[in-house]
Amino acid sequence: MPQRATKRGAERTPLDRDCDVLICGASFAGLAIARELAASGADVLVVDRYEIGERQTSACGIPTGWLDALDLRESLQQTFGELVIHTPHATVRYKLPWTFSTFDYRTLCGLLWDRLPPTHFEFETAKVDGRTGEVVHTDRGDIRAPLIVDALGWRRVLGAADNIQPPDALLSRGLEVHPFGPGQEMEVWIDRSYVPAGYGWSFPAGGELRIGVGSFDPRFHVREPTERLARDLDADRVRYQGNWIPHALRPAVEDGVFFAGDSAGHCLPLTAEGIRTALYFGLACGRELRMVIEGRQTREQALERYGAFSASHARPFRWMLRVQRLIPRIAPRALAAGLRAIDRQRFIDWSFGHYLAVAHPDFVRAAPRATASRAAATGIVRA
Ligand SMILES: Cc1cc2nc3c(=O)[nH]c(=O)nc-3n(C[C@H](O)[C@H](O)[C@H](O)COP(=O)(O)OP(=O)(O)OC[C@H]3O[C@@H](n4cnc5c(N)ncnc54)[C@H](O)[C@@H]3O)c2cc1C
């Protein structure tokens, strides 16, 4: 049984405080932002409704280069050099130009958090309910900060408009089971008998399998196909994990708030890969915030620059959304023929190279060096 670590009842004391930066959401995007603020000297508060690493939000598959770039290899569970795609009429096996790995969510989040200086970083479990200007309302009280980040996932809780609601929003749905068992291959099923528009997957993770189905159409329920895929693979239907997954970019800044990860629609359409993009845009957001803390730009400049940075990625996101919409319209036999036809190493290297470049691990090293300098001039950092 999973252990609940989140504080309950009397442990949940009232929360009423100020900080320089409030990061709402302690998963991939939120922790990447915190990482960039580590040496800024800012007083940072991170809140999440669960303890850090308590509630896994995905199958935890990522290009291995990202684990290396962030020095997170300790969380790595299994590595794959090939992608196996099954369709009703063909199985193809692509040798990837870079490897993909599964990792342990709790370990990865713990590593990111433990590297932050405890003198400046605090974590509180609280459910974020909304915001009025620079005041964020939680179920434990109000928190005030001049720099506020929504890294809360697809709900975009701190957005100015009404919360984005399924099934009408541009969201996919995904559900997986986590049976124990060995596996050697990273496998994907594009098969209408499981899901009319979407795909199934099996990601082995060092003694556990993450078997799931994702539907690009939010009205299509995925519980039955997920269970059927698990049954077809002779795997137990246990330890369910599911969520909505955005498949379109949303503005990364709005009404003075920064959004990163799923809250900004940073998950890639077609593949529903949203971890490395949450890390990537989280790093970018954190760097802009750090420059505010250091007095090198104003909050308004940071909002403008980060918003423009996110929007500058619209093209690959648009393209992938087009392909996501196209694939379900291709007849299964034609799809099988197409997948076989592109099985040329040069084409695979080229296409997967471009795919990685949308959020490349080199971005981690591109960081300007953090400085501990602080400037009261911004009025944001207290002396
Ligand atoms: C079944 C499934 C499998 C997936 N597999 C993969 C995969 O293998 N690889 C990949 O790259 N992507 C995968 N994804 C997509 C990926 O999970 C997301 O894109 C990614 O988690 C986004 O990171 P994030 O930090 O923006 O948000 P999240 O990881 O969703 O984190 C949001 C955080 O906010 C907290 N939170 C939410 N609401 C509140 C609130 N009101 N108050 C306080 N805290 C709150 C949550 O507890 C959570 O910690 C998968 C998605 C699903 C549904």
Side-chain angles (χ1 to χ4, degrees):
M1 283 287 285
Q3 297 258 312
R4 175 174 275 282
T6 303
K7 292 188 185 72
R8 315 277 284 174
E11 283 182 299
R12 290 172 72 82
T13 51
L15 190 62
D16 180 8
R17 54 165 295 179
D18 297 74
C19 56
D20 298 327
V21 186
L22 172 60
I23 301 175
C24 301
S27 187
F28 305 109
L31 292 172
I33 293 165
R35 176 189 187 272
E36 292 305 293
L37 294 171
S40 70
D43 170 18
V44 182
L45 177 62
V46 182
V47 295
D48 197 293
R49 60 180 163 184
Y50 301 114
E51 283 292 340
I52 293 170
E54 180 184 346
R55 187 65 72 101
Q56 183 168 329
T57 52
S58 76
C60 294
I62 191 169
T64 316
W66 269 94
L67 296 181
D68 286 333
L70 287 168
D71 196 14
L72 295 169
R73 240 186 204 257
E74 210 182 302
S75 65
L76 190 151
Q77 292 177 300
Q78 210 165 326
T79 297
F80 312 92
E82 290 185 338
L83 171 65
V84 182
I85 305 180
H86 305 280
T87 73
H89 302 288
T91 288
V92 294
R93 187 178 289 271
Y94 295 155
K95 187 173 176 305
L96 303 177
W98 38 268
T99 63
F100 203 82
S101 292
T102 45
F103 62 84
D104 181 71
Y105 182 68
R106 188 181 288 267
T107 308
L108 181 134
C109 293
L111 285 169
L112 286 170
W113 179 255
D114 289 346
R115 290 172 188 164
L116 300 170
T119 42
H120 289 91
F121 282 77
E122 267 186 80
F123 174 77
E124 294 284 354
T125 52
K127 179 173 170 291
V128 176
D129 293 324
R131 175 182 63 91
T132 313
E134 294 184 0
V135 182
V136 168
H137 312 297
T138 78
D139 62 347
R140 291 177 56 198
D142 288 348
I143 307 165
R144 290 159 295 278
L147 296 172
I148 298 172
V149 185
D150 179 333
L152 294 167
W154 67 269
R155 274 194 192 82
R156 198 177 166 94
V157 178
L158 300 182
D162 284 347
N163 279 357
I164 180 158
Q165 288 299 337
D168 303 319
L170 284 172
L171 295 165
S172 306
R173 60 162 91 213
L175 178 70
E176 58 187 18
V177 289
H178 293 180
F180 293 120
Q184 299 307 321
E185 314 219 271
M186 179 171 68
E187 294 173 275
V188 163
W189 284 261
I190 306 176
D191 185 336
R192 290 179 190 175
S193 73
Y194 290 121
V195 55
Y199 66 96
W201 64 87
S202 172
F203 290 180
E208 178 182 278
L209 295 167
R210 295 170 187 157
I211 298 171
V213 172
S215 170
F216 301 139
D217 178 351
R219 288 160 305 189
F220 185 85
H221 290 258
V222 288
R223 188 177 177 105
E224 187 280 327
T226 298
E227 293 183 337
R228 189 151 40 89
L229 178 58
R231 239 189 348 259
D232 292 348
L233 297 175
D234 276 334
D236 292 334
R237 277 94 64 204
V238 288
R239 291 182 288 280
Y240 288 75
Q241 189 274 120
N243 210 344
W244 296 97
I245 313 170
H247 56 241
L249 280 182
R250 306 176 199 164
V253 297
E254 188 181 19
D255 197 24
V257 175
F258 297 79
F259 297 83
D262 278 4
S263 68
H266 285 148
C267 189
L268 294 167
L270 178 65
T271 58
E273 203 204 332
I275 297 172
R276 75 176 149 116
T277 48
L279 293 169
Y280 172 82
F281 286 102
L283 296 179
C285 180
R287 285 169 196 169
E288 296 301 334
L289 296 177
R290 191 172 73 209
M291 283 173 64
V292 179
I293 300 294
E294 291 170 349
R296 293 194 278 142
Q297 66 178 350
T298 63
R299 183 183 81 151
E300 279 56 43
Q301 286 169 324
L303 286 162
E304 197 180 321
R305 278 167 51 99
Y306 174 63
F309 175 80
S310 175
S312 73
H313 293 71
R315 199 155 169 250
F317 276 76
R318 243 191 340 258
W319 262 103
M320 292 182 70
L321 184 57
R322 272 186 208 139
V323 181
Q324 169 179 310
R325 288 177 171 154
L326 175 72
I327 287 183
R329 293 196 201 127
I330 301 175
R333 277 186 199 285
L335 180 67
L339 288 171
R340 274 201 225 96
I342 60 176
D343 190 6
R344 300 231 166 76
Q345 199 55 46
R346 267 181 55 196
F347 180 77
I348 290 168
D349 291 352
W350 175 84
S351 51
F352 279 88
H354 273 76
Y355 176 64
L356 186 66
V358 178
H360 199 279
D362 282 352
F363 190 64
V364 177
R365 285 186 289 276
R369 289 197 77 76
T371 74
S373 72
R374 306 170 68 169
T378 57
I380 284 175
V381 178
R382 291 190 298 280

